[in-house]
Amino acid sequence: MDFASVVPPYVAKPLTLQPFRAVMLAPGRVGDPASARALARPYRDVASRLLQWIEEGRASADVAPAIYLHEYTAEGLTVRGLVGALGVARRADSIAERAVWPHEAIHPEQAGELADRMRQMELNPAPILLVHHGEQELRDLVTDIGRGTPDWRYLDRTGQRQRIWAVRDAETLARIATLLADTRCLVADGHHRYAAYLRLQEDNPGTAWDAGLAMLVDQRDTPLFLGAIHRTFQGVTIDDLAGACRAAGADVSHQDRHHALSALDSTHLVLTDGDTWQTVGPGDLAREAAVSWLHEQVLGRLLVPPVRIEHHHNVEDALTASSSVAPAVLLPSPDFEQVRALVESGGLLPEKATSFQPKPSLGVLMRPMNDA
């Protein structure tokens, strides 16, 4: 079983977002799967490929460095955040110094592959997503920026509505820097890219690699939806899983499909192989996320471990993949405050424990390393 095993280092306060000169795909190409070829192998040719796209009008480069307020709307949910070059050169020596908090461990080889790819591309192709609870003054400042006319506004190929403001005013940038200095944020999406940023910085100190592209979203302002990632376990049966749950102290009971799915909440999990449905009540999940209980209390009690664990971002996909030899475990959505409290107390969630949605389309804002 291939579990992540390494926690990336922690970036130290003050948290900094630095201006950069963004490269953007043309609106009609943002979110277009065909545009992915601009960032495809051979990676060493990506920088020249993007320059060619700029000359042909298929991409553009901003006129000057900025921090960007990026707002996107997908499926009725609007998210906005500040996009800049996240300083990653300083490492925290104590818990109090930590500015960026990963909530999952990573696979070092995957982080290394991403670092090599970005080095060859000379590009941060997409921002990692960070979430925090910012000060009210920062939320007010972001709101004021958003009242102005966007520098870019369009509907992309995926149906996401994009609005972007370039923030260049020196006084505003200084105020943002002051208000961000003491914040602490959670990595919502991009744990391996975050680890790749750190590796690139260590290999290239004092260069543009001292920072990596990030979008910082205020979870009190325009919150990302925090969803569960469900599992199917190949090579075990639903009876195996039910027995391990009981051995871990949970109440397991047979239900029909409707009642089982209706019981999927913050206190219950659901087991199914497509025919049989069972609800699992671990007891007190107030101090422990359901996904952590599953991995830490249940899987070790299986007499035979799963051959493979598959992850599914919605119930429908998990049910489609489930079978008598690959039962599904449906998990409740995690609570953001619970996740943050767990992480800030020194804990971690299992790999692929959370799904922060929606994510911005690829190609809205990219950061070239040869023009930082």
Side-chain angles (χ1 to χ4, degrees), residues 91-113:
R91 303 288 186 271
D93 294 324
S94 67
I95 289 178
E97 291 180 311
R98 294 175 183 176
V100 179
W101 296 73
H103 68 269
E104 296 178 3
I106 55 98
H107 299 277
E109 67 280 2
Q110 185 176 341
E113 290 170 2

Side-chain angles (χ1 to χ4, degrees), residues 10-15 90-101 181-185 343-346:
Y10 295 88
V11 166
K13 296 177 181 177
L15 187 137
R90 296 180 68 248
R91 303 288 186 271
D93 294 324
S94 67
I95 289 178
E97 291 180 311
R98 294 175 183 176
V100 179
W101 296 73
D182 200 43
T183 199
R184 60 190 193 275
C185 55
V343 171
E344 292 185 356
S345 67

